[in-house]
Amino acid sequence: QLQLTESGGGSVQAGGSLRLSCTHSDTYNDYCMAWFRQAPGEEREGVALRHGNGRTEYANSAKGRFTISKDNGQNTLYLQMNSLQEEDTGLYYCAAELHCYGFRRLDFGYWGQGIQVTVSS
């Protein structure tokens, strides 16, 4: 059973930066992996996605500010978040699956436990 372990969340002021990490428990490096976030009272939404071939996708709200990347040697997915805004506050989840077709939550069978990101003004 693949396990995903997130780290790097926390509190930051608006305009600041954070980097989230997600380490997967096996050495297979062609997963489709993504970051989702969930604000209180709202549905979980996709933020950034990396296909197994390295192609990336971003939600409109993340374009130009967030960068998803992967270090295959460390089995770790990253999300570099810059110019953070209060609207970026929420629980961030790492997700993985052998294949994916965009930010469809039901396509992803493996999820991390979630990590809190809080952006204050």
Side-chain angles (χ1 to χ4, degrees), residues 8-66:
S11 297
V12 65
Q13 287 194 320
S17 299
L18 281 175
R19 189 177 78 159
L20 305 183
S21 301
C22 171
T23 300
H24 56 85
S25 58
D26 66 12
T27 57
Y28 181 73
N29 277 307
D30 288 342
Y31 289 109
C32 176
M33 298 188 72
W35 291 98
F36 287 76
R37 72 180 173 205
Q38 188 165 18
E42 297 188 14
E43 291 191 357
R44 197 172 299 185
E45 61 178 2
V47 175
L49 180 152
R50 182 186 181 279
H51 292 273
N53 62 6
R55 184 169 64 89
T56 58
E57 297 182 38
Y58 294 93
N60 285 337
S61 61
K63 288 178 182 176
R65 300 188 300 127
F66 294 3

Side-chain angles (χ1 to χ4, degrees), residues 5-11 18-22 35-38 79 81 88-94 112-118:
T5 304
E6 299 128 336
S7 61
S11 297
L18 281 175
R19 189 177 78 159
L20 305 183
S21 301
C22 171
W35 291 98
F36 287 76
R37 72 180 173 205
Q38 188 165 18
L79 183 68
M81 304 187 291
D88 296 317
T89 294
L91 267 175
Y92 281 69
Y93 294 89
C94 175
Q113 77 282 3
I115 193 164
Q116 180 68 37
V117 170
T118 303

